[in-house]
Amino acid sequence: MATTSSLFMYSLTLQQSASVTQAIVGQFAGTKEQQILTASGSDLTLHRPDPTQAKVTPVLSHNVFGIIRTIAAFRIAGSNKDYIIIGSDSGRIAIIEYLPPQNKFKQIHLETFGKSGVRRVIPGQYLAVDPKGRACLLASVEKNKLVYVLNRNAQAELTISSPLEAHKAQTLVFALTALDVGYENPIFAALEIEYGESDQDATGQAYQDVEKQLVYYELDLGLNHVVRKWADTVDRHSNILFQVPGGSDGPSGVLVCSTDNITYRHNNQDPHRVPIPRRKGATEDPYRARHIVSGVMHKMRGAFFFLLQTEDGDLFKVTLDMVEDDNGQATGEVQKLKIKYFDTVPLATNLIILKSGFLFIASETGNHHFYQFEKLGDDDAEPEFTSKSYSSDLTEPCGPVYFHPRPVENVNLVESIDTMNPMTDCKVTNLTGDDAPQIYSICGTGARSAFKTIRHGLDVSEIVESELPSVPSAVWTTKIKHDDEYDAYIVLSFSNGTLVLSIGETVEEVTDTGFLSSAPTLAVQLLGEEALLQVHPRGIRHIRPGGKVNEWPAPQHRTIVAAATNERQVAVALSSGEIAYFEMDTDGNLAEYDVRREMSGTVTCLSLGEIPEGRVRSNFLAVGCDDSTVRILSLDPESTLENKSVQALTSAPSALKIMAMADSSSGGSTLYLHIGLFSGVYLRTVLDEITGELSDTITRFLGPKAVKLFRVTVQGQKTILALSSRAWLGYSEALTKAFMLTPLSYAPLEWGCSFSSEQCPEGMVGINGQNLRIFTIENLANNLLQQSIPLAYTPRHFARVPDQPLFCVIEADNNTLSSATKVRLRNDPSVVNGDAAVLPPDEFGYPRGKAHWASCIQVVDPVTEKKVLHTIDLEDNEAAVSIAIAPFTSQDNEHFLVVGTAKDLVIAPRSHACGYIHIYRLHDSGRSLEFIHKTKVEEPPLALLPFQGRLLAGIGSILRIYDLGMRQLLRKAQAQVAPNLIVGLQTQGNRIIASDISESVSFVVYNFAENRLIAFADDSIPRWTTATTMVDYDTVAGGDKFGNLWMVRCPRHISEESDEDGATAHLLHEKQYLHGAPHKIALVAHFFTHDIPTSIQKTQLVAGGREVLVWSGLQGTLGILVPFVSREDVDFFQSLEQHLRTEDAPLAGRDHLIYRGYYVPVKGVIDGDLCERFALLPMDKKMMIAGELDRSVREVERKIADFRTRAAY
C-alpha cells in the first residue's frame, strides 16, 4: 500500500453476501448428522439443519479472501467424516476439514498447480470427486484437467498424490461429473467441444458443424495414469450432467440435460431420451423450450430418483426402470427413462436432499428455502412421460409435451431464510425518529421482489404483555429455594408499596410471603438456601423459612437510598452517605460489619459481584457517588470496606454491575465492572480479581436517558441488560467471545430482570410504562433484522418522498408479459377453462414473452402501514430506468416525481425505439400519483437529478437541463460531457459529477450567467461505474461492475479555477488531454470488494458516531468505509494487517494483498475484515503479534472493536 496516500479508509463488512454460488451436503463433523456447506462470494458457511425444529442454523462462516469457484465433499473409504475440496482463483487445490470442538476449518493440504486468478486454462472451474473418495478431477474451461489420487497413510492421515494430467488442447469443457462405478477404476465424464477446426475456418461452416461430445476419462489406479476411454456425440445444446448410481445401486452412467430433452447415456447401454414438459396455459408460449438448470440425485434403499429443475422453477422427478431377470431382480440394464411433474419451488443454484426428509433450496435470487417432504409424488395423477415413446436419435426432434402447474403438494415449506440478493439500491435514513437511522433497500427479482427495512437489533419474542393497576418502578423475580428450577415470585415495587405475584399456571397476587407491602422495594434476593431478603427505604427484611421475619431498621432520620445483594452478602447506602455491610453467618443470620464506611458524596448506586465457585464471599463492593466517581471497596475480612481503587467518570453513575463474562483476550472468563451513567453512556472496565484495580475501559453512548443495568441469562450465557432510551444487551459473540452490545428490537423498558417458568425456561420480565412484559431472545447470531414488503416486479431504483416516510420505487422485468397483455390473452375466446387458471406469481413467476417488458411505479410506506399504497403500470412496452423527485422553481418549488423510461429496450446488443421522461404530481402527501405529461427524448434517460429548481437528465452521452412546462419538459441547456453513456449524476452547488458507463466520472461546472455546462476534468482510467457519491466538493467515491470501490479527487487548484468568475471562456478553449477533458482527476483509494456496488452513501450509522461511506452490493452485501483520523492508527492497522497476512494465511491459498488488489493494487484502504480475524487466532499467535505491535492483546482487541462500534455495528 502506498504510504504516501493522503487519505486512508478502514473497510468493514456489516452483512455478508447472501448469493450462494454452490451448496454441498456432508457429514463434516464426523457424526451421523448432516451439515450443509455453502459458498457465497468469498465466504464458506457451514449450516446445521435441525430436523426436530425444522430450521437451518449457521454454525460457522469463514472468509477465504479468494473467489470460490467450486467446492466438493469427499470421504476416504472406511472413514466417517467428509472432507472439503475447494477450487478457487489461487491456482491451488485446497483440502480442508471442519473441527467441531474448536468450531473452525483447518487446512490439510494446499497443492499449487498453476497461476492465480480466474483464467480459462487454469484448472479450478470444474471439480468432480469419485463417489468412493479415491480421486478428484479439477478442470479448467479450456484444455487442462488434473487428477489427484486421495489416500491415507499409516497414521490414518489424508494424503494427496502429484497431479496426473488429462490435457487436450483446443477443447472447451461445459460440464463435469464423476461416474459411480463402485470399486472399479474411477471414471469422470465431461461435456466437451473441440474448436480447432472452427478456429481455422474463416467461412464459419466448421463452427456450424461442430459436435459436442460426452467423454469418459478413466484413472487407472494400477498404472497411475489417466486415459480418454470413450467419447460419443450428444445434443449440441447439452449443458449439464448428473451422475447415475452404479455398482450395486444402479446402472451407472450419466443423465445429459439439453434444450427440451434429457438423455440417459453410458458406454455399454442404449441411450434413452425424454422431453422436458412445458407449462400449458393461456399466457404461456407453447413454443418456448425449457432447460434444466439444477438438480439433485437421491439414493434410498434399493432405489434412487432425480429432482431436476427448469428455469421456471418447476421440479421434475426423473426415474430409471431396469430390465428384470426371471427372478424379478434388476439386471443393471436400463429399460426406460421416466419423467413427471413434481412441484414448483424458487429457482435454485443447488438443490440438497437430506436423509432426514428435507429439501434445502439455495435460491438463485431471493430467500433460501427449507422444505419437508410430504410424499414422493408416486401416487398423484400427474402424467408420466417415458423414453419408450421417443426416439434416442439426436437428428429426430423430441416433440413437446405439456403439463398444468399446480400448488405444491409433495413438499411443505418449513423455513424461509431471509436474504437480500440481489440488492439493486439502498438508502440510509431515519424515518422513525429513533436514535440510529434505518437501512432501506430494494431486493429480489420478479414477483419475489421486496422492499426491505433493515434495523440494527436482536429479535425479541414477546410471551405476555399485561397492564398493571399503576406504574411500577421496579421488578424482580425470585425462587423460594436455591435448588428450585423455576422462579416462584414476581415482586413489583410501586411508589407507595410492593406487590408480590406467584408464578404458576396463572400469575396471581399473594399476600402471605412475608414481604412488606406498604413500602417500595429497593432489592429482592434469595439468601442462602431458602431465605428471602427485601430491602426497602426504612430497613432490611430477612424472611426465614417458616415465615419468621428478622428486621434491621435504618438509623433514625436516615433512609436507605441504594442496595446491592448476593446469596450471602448485603450492602446498603444510607442517605447520610454511609455504607452498611452485612454478611450471612453459619446460622443463616445477617450480621452487620461493626464499622460503617462514610463516602465523600451521596451514593447513587452499589454493586456486589456473584460469589465465585468454592468461595464464601465476593471480594469487592463497587460504590458510585454523585461526585462522578466509582470506588472499589474491599470485602476481605482483614480489610473490610477499605478503598482499593477509584475511577473518575464524565457524569454521575446511575447503575453498577460486577460480573464475570467470557473474554476473548484471556480465552477464559474475566471479571468486569459495568457502569451506567446519568448522561446515557455505558462503560465496561476490567476489574482485577486480586488487586481490585480498574483498567481497559470501553465506552458506548446508548441514548439520552440514564442507564440502568441488570444481570440476565440468554442462551445459557450471562449477559448484561442495559436500559436507556432503548434496551440493549451486552453478550459474548459465540465464535470470537468478543463483547457485543446490541439494541433489542423492542419497546423501551424502565426495568428488567431474568424470568424462568415452566412455559418460558429462559426469559426476561420488564416494565414498560404501566405494562409488565415477559419476553425471550432466541437468536444472538443475527443482529440485523429485516422487514419485507412484497413488490410487483424486479425493483431498479427508488427515491424518498421529501418530508414523508414514503418511497417511490420503479420496477421492470424483461421478457415478461405486462398486466394488460395477460388480461388480453386470458380473455381470448379460444382459451379453454383449464388454461385460464391464474397462478400466484410469487410461487410460479410471471408468464414469459420475448421482447416484452412489464414495468410499474409503486409508492411504498415502510413505517406506518407497511405496504404498497399506490401502483401505476406502464404501457406501450415501456420500462422504467431512472427516477427522481425534483422541486421546480417555476411551480413554486412543488415536488414532482420524474421517471425516465425506455421503449422497446433490448439489453444486448443495446437498442431501443426511444426514451420518455414522465412527470407525476404527488397527491395526499405523496401517497398517490397523478400523471401530468411525458416528454419524448432520443435515448432512454438513465440518470435524473434535481438541480437548482430544475431537472438534470443524462440522455446518452448528453447532459441536459430541463424545466417543467405545461405540455412537456422545456430544454434549457445541454452539453456532451461523457464519452459513451451517462448512468449516474451527483451535484453540489454548481458542480455536477456525471458517471459514464465505462469511462469513470467527469467533473462538470454549470455557469448560470452564460447557461453553459462544461466538463473540465475526467479520469485517465476507464471504470465501468455502477454507483457514485460525492464525499466532499472535490472527492468522489464510486464502485464499478468488477467489484472495486475507489475514490478519486480533483486537484485543488483546478477545482478552484473552475469556480472562478469568467472561467467559462478559459475552460471552453482549453486543449483536450488524452482525448477527454483538459484536466485529469487523481486516484486516492482503491479496494476490491468481491461484490458489485449498487449504491454508496455518506452518512452516520450510529448515534453520535462518525460519518462513514455505506455501500451496498448486488449480492446482498452491506459494507462501510471508515476514514482514519490519525496517522498513528493508520500505522498500527497497517502493521496488524501485515502480520495477519502471514500468521492467518487465507484458507484457499490466495494471497490476501493480491486478492484485495485484484484489478488495481490496493491503495489507501485497510481490510477490517482481515484485522477482525485477530480475535480468532490461537493465544500464542495473538501474544506474538501484540508483542510486535508493542501492545497488550487486550489493547489490540479493544482498538479493533472500537473501530467497528464507533462507526457501525
Side-chain angles (χ1 to χ4, degrees):
M1 191 186 296
T3 51
T4 52
S5 180
S6 58
L7 177 82
F8 278 90
M9 308 295 279
Y10 186 77
S11 169
L12 275 175
T13 302
L14 302 184
Q15 180 172 280
Q16 294 174 346
S17 161
S19 169
V20 172
T21 50
Q22 198 174 349
I24 57 173
V25 66
Q27 293 168 339
F28 303 114
T31 60
K32 288 186 176 178
E33 190 182 57
Q34 287 181 304
Q35 291 90 26
I36 296 167
L37 184 75
T38 60
S40 314
S42 62
D43 293 298
L44 273 182
T45 308
L46 191 71
H47 306 264
R48 189 174 70 84
D50 188 339
T52 54
Q53 294 188 329
K55 283 192 169 181
V56 178
T57 313
V59 177
L60 171 65
S61 188
H62 188 113
N63 192 336
V64 304
F65 298 106
I67 296 173
I68 301 168
R69 300 163 77 186
T70 179
I71 52 175
F74 75 95
R75 183 184 304 192
I76 294 287
S79 169
N80 63 346
K81 183 174 189 174
D82 287 328
Y83 296 92
I84 302 148
I85 302 180
I86 304 174
S88 68
D89 62 340
S90 63
R92 297 165 161 190
I93 179 171
I95 299 181
I96 62 170
E97 70 168 322
Y98 172 61
L99 303 175
Q102 295 101 310
N103 190 25
K104 70 172 190 177
F105 291 121
K106 179 190 172 189
Q107 192 184 83
I108 303 174
H109 285 291
L110 191 64
E111 299 292 328
T112 305
F113 54 72
K115 292 180 179 177
S116 62
V118 179
R119 304 164 193 259
R120 66 181 194 171
V121 292
I122 300 296
Q125 186 63 34
Y126 301 106
L127 175 62
V129 177
D130 172 59
K132 300 299 183 191
R134 297 170 296 170
C136 69
L137 188 145
L138 208 60
S140 59
V141 174
E142 185 186 337
K143 184 185 174 185
N144 294 332
K145 297 182 189 69
L146 296 173
V147 176
Y148 287 90
V149 179
L150 306 163
N151 216 323
R152 280 191 295 189
N153 62 14
Q155 287 78 41
E157 295 167 337
L158 179 69
T159 61
I160 185 168
S161 72
S162 298
L164 305 172
E165 295 182 352
H167 303 339
K168 192 165 192 305
Q170 297 184 321
T171 300
L172 297 175
V173 179
F174 291 84
L176 183 72
T177 191
L179 261 64
D180 188 347
V181 290
Y183 284 101
E184 293 177 18
N185 280 336
I187 295 177
F188 301 94
L191 281 178
E192 296 181 352
I193 275 183
E194 289 187 40
Y195 68 82
E197 291 180 17
S198 308
D199 228 12
Q200 305 300 324
D201 181 17
T203 64
Q205 186 59 42
Y207 169 72
Q208 298 298 329
D209 299 339
V210 76
E211 292 181 339
K212 190 173 280 187
Q213 291 193 313
L214 174 66
V215 183
Y216 279 8
Y217 291 91
E218 183 179 8
L219 166 65
D220 192 317
L221 290 169
L223 299 173
N224 204 29
H225 75 140
V226 184
V227 293
R228 189 180 163 103
K229 183 179 181 183
W230 176 75
D232 199 9
T233 303
V234 293
D235 189 328
R236 184 169 174 168
H237 300 104
S238 303
N239 65 315
I240 194 167
L241 296 174
F242 291 98
Q243 172 198 106
V244 176
S248 59
D249 299 321
S252 190
V254 290
L255 289 186
V256 183
C257 301
S258 177
T259 301
D260 222 21
N261 66 76
I262 299 165
T263 311
Y264 166 75
R265 300 300 301 266
H266 196 30
N267 59 345
N268 59 4
Q269 300 260 12
D270 292 331
H272 295 267
R273 185 164 67 142
V274 290
I276 301 170
R278 305 175 185 181
R279 287 185 183 182
K280 195 166 177 59
T283 55
E284 292 294 338
D285 179 359
Y287 304 108
R288 182 165 70 89
R290 305 303 202 269
H291 302 80
I292 298 297
V293 293
S294 64
V296 63
M297 181 271 293
H298 185 62
K299 280 198 278 194
M300 301 173 294
R301 275 205 191 98
F304 63 89
F305 65 89
F306 295 85
L307 286 184
L308 305 182
Q309 188 180 42
T310 64
E311 67 265 44
D312 293 332
D314 300 325
L315 283 179
F316 295 96
K317 184 178 179 182
V318 177
T319 51
L320 286 96
D321 281 359
M322 307 290 175
V323 176
E324 295 180 350
D325 61 17
D326 298 338
N327 300 324
Q329 298 295 315
T331 60
E333 185 186 340
V334 176
Q335 183 183 23
K336 60 184 175 185
L337 187 62
K338 299 189 295 188
I339 187 168
K340 67 188 291 192
Y341 174 58
F342 187 76
D343 265 330
T344 299
V345 296
L347 193 60
T349 53
N350 283 92
L351 301 166
I352 286 175
I353 296 176
L354 301 172
K355 290 176 183 173
S356 50
F358 289 88
L359 172 69
F360 177 74
I361 289 183
S363 298
E364 196 171 276
T365 61
N367 294 351
H368 305 309
H369 288 71
F370 196 48
Y371 290 91
Q372 186 166 17
F373 281 101
E374 299 289 323
K375 51 189 174 55
L376 292 176
D378 297 323
D379 52 354
D380 55 24
E382 290 295 334
E384 191 170 64
F385 307 100
T386 71
S387 58
K388 292 280 188 190
S389 310
Y390 302 95
S391 167
S392 59
D393 187 353
L394 295 179
T395 58
E396 292 185 27
C398 214
V401 294
Y402 298 94
F403 73 97
H404 283 289
R406 52 156 171 74
V408 290
E409 55 181 45
N410 294 312
V411 292
N412 173 38
L413 181 65
V414 289
E415 190 190 15
S416 180
I417 302 159
D418 282 340
T419 72
M420 294 169 62
N421 165 51
M423 194 190 319
T424 49
D425 204 354
C426 173
K427 295 193 189 311
V428 182
T429 185
N430 193 348
L431 299 184
T432 57
D434 291 347
D435 298 341
Q438 307 83 48
I439 301 171
Y440 297 93
S441 70
I442 45 176
C443 326
T445 57
R448 290 195 179 92
S449 306
F451 185 103
K452 294 204 172 186
T453 305
I454 299 120
R455 281 188 176 82
H456 179 223
L458 293 172
D459 197 15
V460 171
S461 304
E462 186 170 87
I463 295 166
V464 176
E465 181 185 2
S466 172
E467 195 171 343
L468 298 168
S470 61
V471 178
S473 58
V475 62
W476 295 268
T477 56
T478 182
K479 300 174 182 177
I480 294 178
K481 294 182 179 177
H482 185 270
D483 297 332
D484 287 353
E485 191 175 352
Y486 303 119
D487 292 325
Y489 297 138
I490 296 175
V491 182
L492 289 158
S493 173
F494 297 87
S495 57
N496 57 355
T498 297
L499 177 69
V500 182
L501 306 172
S502 74
I503 304 167
E505 299 254 334
T506 58
V507 175
E508 50 197 34
E509 185 181 348
V510 283
T511 54
D512 58 348
T513 57
F515 280 89
L516 182 68
S517 59
S518 59
T521 300
L522 296 174
V524 172
Q525 176 70 46
L526 174 68
L527 210 61
E529 289 298 317
E530 48 184 341
L532 292 174
L533 181 89
Q534 179 191 16
V535 182
H536 53 90
R538 291 285 172 198
I540 299 173
R541 200 171 173 86
H542 185 192
I543 305 156
R544 304 290 297 272
K548 184 185 172 190
V549 175
N550 293 344
E551 187 89 36
W552 178 86
Q556 205 168 6
H557 308 305
R558 283 171 278 182
T559 57
I560 297 172
V561 292
T565 61
N566 63 28
E567 290 182 352
R568 296 182 58 83
Q569 296 162 286
V570 180
V572 294
L574 304 176
S575 53
S576 58
E578 291 174 300
I579 289 177
Y581 170 63
F582 303 81
E583 213 172 285
M584 197 170 82
D585 60 21
T586 50
D587 298 331
N589 296 316
L590 270 184
E592 184 185 357
Y593 179 65
D594 48 8
V595 177
R596 290 181 189 163
R597 170 72 189 266
E598 197 160 329
M599 306 305 291
S600 55
T602 304
V603 176
T604 56
C605 48
L606 296 171
S607 178
L608 279 165
E610 289 183 328
I611 300 171
E613 204 173 325
R615 303 274 185 91
V616 293
R617 67 177 63 79
S618 171
N619 282 345
F620 302 112
L621 171 68
V623 182
C625 299
D626 63 356
D627 58 356
S628 299
T629 59
V630 168
R631 286 178 169 79
I632 301 297
L633 306 184
S634 170
L635 297 181
D636 195 284
E638 295 169 11
S639 57
T640 308
L641 299 184
E642 277 185 21
N643 214 27
K644 283 284 186 182
S645 63
V646 63
Q647 181 159 332
L649 306 167
T650 55
S651 162
S654 55
L656 297 171
K657 271 287 173 287
I658 297 174
M659 63 184 281
M661 291 182 79
D663 178 24
S664 60
S665 303
S666 64
S669 179
T670 299
L671 196 63
Y672 292 101
L673 172 63
H674 302 262
I675 307 169
L677 306 185
F678 279 100
S679 60
V681 172
Y682 160 85
L683 299 92
R684 188 183 82 148
T685 184
V686 176
L687 175 59
D688 191 292
E689 295 180 37
I690 309 299
T691 64
E693 290 292 323
L694 296 172
S695 60
D696 283 315
T697 304
I698 62 165
T699 61
R700 186 87 179 265
F701 177 66
L702 303 188
K705 286 174 69 176
V707 178
K708 296 173 187 165
L709 301 172
F710 306 93
R711 190 186 291 119
V712 293
T713 305
V714 178
Q715 292 183 358
Q717 70 161 292
K718 290 172 184 171
T719 61
I720 190 97
L721 181 69
L723 305 180
S724 179
S725 53
R726 295 166 81 183
W728 297 70
L729 189 75
Y731 56 97
S732 298
E733 201 265 324
L735 196 58
T736 62
K737 303 299 179 211
F739 182 67
M740 307 279 284
L741 193 62
T742 309
L744 303 186
S745 181
Y746 201 51
L749 300 172
E750 280 85 51
W751 200 275
C753 73
S754 281
F755 174 83
S756 179
S757 72
E758 204 168 338
Q759 293 80 17
C760 172
E762 197 177 77
M764 292 181 219
V765 59
I767 295 168
N768 168 236
Q770 204 171 325
N771 295 331
L772 185 73
R773 294 173 180 247
I774 297 173
F775 58 92
T776 61
I777 300 167
E778 290 169 5
N779 185 5
L780 292 178
N782 181 23
N783 64 357
L784 286 178
L785 303 177
Q786 300 180 14
Q787 285 183 324
S788 291
I789 300 167
L791 300 174
Y793 304 115
T794 303
R796 304 292 172 171
H797 295 286
F798 69 128
R800 185 190 167 187
V801 178
D803 306 322
Q804 298 295 329
L806 304 172
F807 290 94
C808 294
V809 186
I810 55 167
E811 302 159 36
D813 268 328
N814 193 11
N815 293 331
T816 303
L817 299 183
S818 66
S819 302
T821 309
K822 285 186 287 189
V823 170
R824 180 172 54 77
L825 289 170
R826 289 196 187 105
N827 293 339
D828 192 308
S830 63
V831 173
V832 293
N833 287 339
D835 292 349
V838 179
L839 299 167
D842 58 329
E843 289 180 35
F844 295 91
Y846 289 113
R848 317 294 288 171
K850 193 161 181 168
H852 284 261
W853 281 90
S855 187
C856 70
I857 305 162
Q858 293 192 314
V859 180
V860 179
D861 177 359
V863 177
T864 48
E865 295 188 41
K866 297 184 179 173
K867 65 176 186 180
V868 173
L869 304 177
H870 187 68
T871 302
I872 293 177
D873 282 305
L874 297 181
E875 297 169 354
D876 296 333
N877 208 34
E878 286 184 51
V881 292
S882 57
I883 186 171
I885 294 179
F888 286 94
T889 311
S890 57
Q891 304 290 323
D892 298 328
N893 281 327
E894 182 184 350
H895 284 85
F896 290 84
L897 173 66
V898 186
V899 175
T901 66
K903 182 172 168 56
D904 301 335
L905 179 64
V906 177
I907 301 293
R910 192 173 193 84
S911 69
H912 47 79
C914 62
Y916 291 97
I917 301 177
H918 294 237
I919 302 291
Y920 296 90
R921 179 171 266 121
L922 303 169
H923 283 296
D924 190 16
S925 302
R927 298 169 69 84
S928 62
L929 306 172
E930 179 199 356
F931 177 68
I932 304 296
H933 57 64
K934 68 179 182 179
T935 306
K936 186 175 179 180
V937 290
E938 61 273 24
E939 286 195 51
L942 296 180
L944 299 170
L945 187 73
F947 179 70
Q948 299 182 359
R950 295 191 282 188
L951 177 72
L952 264 181
I955 299 164
S957 61
I958 294 169
L959 183 61
R960 211 171 268 170
I961 297 178
Y962 284 103
D963 207 345
L964 186 62
M966 295 291 287
R967 299 279 179 91
Q968 65 171 37
L969 289 171
L970 308 173
R971 191 187 304 180
K972 295 296 181 184
Q974 74 172 38
Q976 183 171 347
V977 298
N980 302 313
L981 203 59
I982 296 172
V983 292
L985 293 169
Q986 302 289 329
T987 185
Q988 275 187 31
N990 283 334
R991 178 162 298 173
I992 301 157
I993 308 297
S995 315
D996 186 84
I997 192 167
S998 61
E999 295 291 340
S1000 192
V1001 295
S1002 299
F1003 280 62
V1004 181
V1005 66
Y1006 174 61
N1007 187 303
F1008 186 78
E1010 298 184 29
N1011 194 28
R1012 297 193 84 131
L1013 291 159
I1014 304 158
F1016 65 91
D1018 62 12
D1019 207 339
S1020 55
I1021 296 172
R1023 304 182 199 280
W1024 292 73
T1025 317
T1026 54
T1028 52
T1029 191
M1030 293 184 77
V1031 181
D1032 56 41
Y1033 194 60
D1034 295 333
T1035 313
V1036 176
D1040 63 41
K1041 76 170 192 178
F1042 297 106
N1044 298 303
L1045 282 174
W1046 36 265
M1047 290 172 74
V1048 290
R1049 182 173 284 165
C1050 180
R1052 179 165 291 179
H1053 67 281
I1054 295 166
S1055 172
E1056 290 169 355
E1057 191 180 286
S1058 69
D1059 287 337
E1060 288 173 2
D1061 291 337
T1064 310
H1066 168 63
L1067 291 172
L1068 271 174
H1069 298 103
E1070 221 171 348
K1071 188 180 175 184
Q1072 283 192 346
Y1073 180 58
L1074 295 177
H1075 306 290
H1079 303 288
K1080 297 298 166 191
I1081 52 183
L1083 179 70
V1084 290
H1086 201 285
F1087 189 71
F1088 176 70
T1089 64
H1090 202 147
D1091 200 352
I1092 300 171
T1094 52
S1095 74
I1096 303 178
Q1097 188 178 343
K1098 183 181 166 187
T1099 185
Q1100 278 184 338
L1101 276 179
V1102 292
R1106 61 173 71 169
E1107 280 197 320
V1108 296
L1109 288 176
V1110 180
W1111 66 273
S1112 66
L1114 185 68
Q1115 297 175 12
T1117 313
L1118 282 173
I1120 59 168
L1121 291 173
V1122 188
F1124 279 97
V1125 178
S1126 73
R1127 184 75 216 187
E1128 184 193 347
D1129 283 347
V1130 173
D1131 293 340
F1132 170 81
F1133 278 102
Q1134 274 186 330
S1135 303
L1136 175 63
E1137 194 181 29
Q1138 226 163 351
H1139 285 296
L1140 285 166
R1141 285 188 188 126
T1142 312
E1143 300 301 328
D1144 186 34
L1147 196 66
R1150 188 74 164 121
D1151 184 285
H1152 175 268
L1153 189 62
I1154 298 174
Y1155 169 70
R1156 286 304 188 193
Y1158 221 103
Y1159 297 95
V1160 174
V1162 64
K1163 180 180 183 181
V1165 182
I1166 285 163
D1167 188 358
D1169 295 339
L1170 179 66
C1171 293
E1172 289 191 339
R1173 287 196 56 79
F1174 178 83
L1176 296 166
L1177 293 177
M1179 199 61 202
D1180 56 337
K1181 284 193 177 181
K1182 281 188 192 177
M1183 292 176 74
M1184 187 269 286
I1185 292 172
E1188 293 277 340
L1189 296 171
D1190 210 16
R1191 309 276 175 118
S1192 69
V1193 172
R1194 196 181 296 281
E1195 277 180 300
V1196 175
E1197 289 192 340
R1198 190 180 72 215
K1199 211 163 179 58
I1200 294 168
D1202 277 359
F1203 243 89
R1204 181 179 278 270
T1205 54
R1206 287 183 181 174
Y1209 19 82

